[in-house]
Amino acid sequence: MSDQPASKVAVVGENPRHIAIIMDGNGRWAQKRMMPRIMGHHAGVKAVRSIVEYCAKEKIEVLSLFAFSSENWRRPKDEVSLLMELFVSTLQTQVDKLDKNNIRLRIIGDKSAFHEKLQDKIRSAEQQTAHNSGLTLVVAANYGGRWDITQALQKIAAGVKNGDIDEQAISEQLINEHLTTADLPEPDLFIRTGGEERVSNFLLWQLAYTELFFTDVLWPDFDQNMMQKAIDSFKGRQRRFGHTGEQIIDKRIL
Ligand code: IPE
Ligand code: IPE
Ligand code: MG
């Protein structure tokens, strides 16, 4: 077993390079206020803007946000279509701002399920911001961790079939290289708001050694102070990657 993942990640006391967030609790936030659930999603977009701004300011390299899971299609039709509309309008109004702030936007997930027009908008937003060198903002839309692993295996199988990939060369690294996050560092810190303590099919492969942070705060109430709390909690942790604590302290293995 190599030390490879350890050498790619942030060390104790440093900011996480990659933060992944399940933004949960929008619906309950609205329901508590006797408002329709979609109002919670609108309030959630405001929270996204504030957290993106914060991560850019703090020089976080990658922020991954779970916006719509492959299972969220199971919601009532009305909520799904309002969420799609919100996705389109947010994309439209925010891309120039992201671009101006040197932020690179990436959408991961099975985009083929989206309307052709939305797919075009996604492509042009990604192209417009592709050369930016600040924060990489990854939005997971119609994303599932199992889907990501499945599509990676499909590509690898095709490569084996046409002779581009030697069966013996299939390794963790090769699988990693075929995931939608291939060029990104692994998430250092995972945050889930809204009180549930589960991964809900987010970045399954990528989260293998990620530090987890759960909070009852509903996503629309998650502010920059809360984000700083999560980062501070991360900074105080010792990541061992299978080593002993003494090895980490004595030899500064990471
Ligand atoms: C998360 O908030 C946003 C999406 C899944 C799109 P929810 O809509 O899941 O909010 P709750 O969990 O019902 O409160
Ligand atoms: C996870 O939230 C997906 C997103 C935040 C986009 P859900 O609210 O859909 O998760 P479950 O169904 O409670 O696990
Ligand atoms: Mg939820």
Side-chain angles (χ1 to χ4, degrees):
M1 183 65 215
S2 76
D3 285 339
Q4 203 200 352
S7 62
K8 285 199 293 185
V9 300
V11 296
V12 180
E14 282 187 4
N15 264 350
R17 294 179 62 192
H18 181 174
I19 302 175
I21 307 184
I22 296 190
M23 312 179 288
D24 198 18
N26 292 351
R28 280 165 285 161
W29 183 93
Q31 283 162 340
K32 263 172 56 180
R33 290 164 176 75
M34 315 298 275
M35 298 195 297
R37 290 176 57 86
I38 189 66
M39 296 309 287
H41 297 312
H42 278 272
V45 172
K46 279 194 189 154
V48 168
R49 287 167 51 187
S50 140
I51 295 307
V52 168
E53 189 187 294
Y54 188 73
C55 287
K57 195 180 78 197
E58 288 297 311
K59 306 259 180 296
I60 302 295
E61 287 174 49
V62 185
L63 173 66
S64 295
L65 301 176
F66 206 4
F68 191 85
S69 77
S70 41
E71 289 73 34
N72 285 146
W73 297 106
R74 296 173 184 159
R75 294 191 175 200
K77 269 203 176 71
D78 280 0
E79 181 166 344
V80 171
S81 56
L82 287 171
L83 273 169
M84 288 298 148
E85 277 174 32
L86 183 61
F87 186 33
V88 174
S89 62
T90 307
L91 210 53
Q92 243 155 8
T93 57
Q94 298 305 311
V95 173
D96 284 347
K97 286 182 198 157
L98 294 176
D99 197 17
K100 275 201 193 98
N101 286 292
N102 197 24
I103 296 170
R104 181 168 71 126
L105 179 68
R106 274 266 292 278
I107 312 290
I108 59 167
D110 184 1
K111 291 169 249 188
S112 68
F114 296 139
H115 201 280
E116 195 55 52
K117 269 192 192 152
L118 177 53
Q119 291 188 44
D120 284 346
K121 281 200 170 69
I122 290 173
R123 263 190 297 272
S124 81
E126 288 181 327
Q127 275 166 13
Q128 186 182 336
T129 61
H131 302 293
N132 291 338
S133 57
L135 175 72
T136 296
L137 174 61
V138 179
V139 176
N142 193 23
Y143 180 88
R146 289 177 177 170
W147 166 82
D148 202 355
I149 296 166
T150 305
Q151 64 81 33
L153 295 182
Q154 283 170 347
K155 283 187 208 148
I156 292 169
V160 170
K161 196 172 169 199
N162 69 24
D164 285 347
I165 298 173
D166 177 2
E167 199 182 310
Q168 299 302 318
I170 299 175
S171 61
E172 289 186 13
Q173 193 184 331
L174 190 84
I175 294 173
N176 219 14
E177 284 166 8
H178 287 82
L179 294 171
T180 54
T181 52
D183 55 329
L184 306 174
E186 285 173 16
D188 301 297
L189 171 63
F190 162 98
I191 299 170
R192 182 172 186 145
T193 62
E196 316 295 351
E197 300 189 350
R198 55 180 173 248
V199 176
S200 298
N201 199 16
F202 197 21
L203 302 157
L204 297 181
W205 174 283
Q206 297 87 336
L207 290 174
Y209 260 106
T210 304
E211 295 296 325
L212 309 180
F213 181 92
F214 297 98
T215 171
D216 288 338
V217 172
L218 303 173
W219 175 251
D221 292 329
F222 191 80
D223 60 12
Q224 299 190 350
N225 282 333
M226 282 300 306
M227 187 65 169
Q228 188 57 54
K229 260 194 197 168
I231 292 174
D232 287 344
S233 160
F234 170 83
K235 282 180 170 176
R237 301 184 193 187
Q238 184 191 55
R239 304 179 77 189
R240 293 195 276 276
F241 300 98
H243 296 287
T244 66
E246 288 71 22
Q247 284 178 301
I248 304 291
I249 293 164
D250 295 348
K251 297 182 188 154
R252 301 244 349 130
I253 278 172
L254 307 189

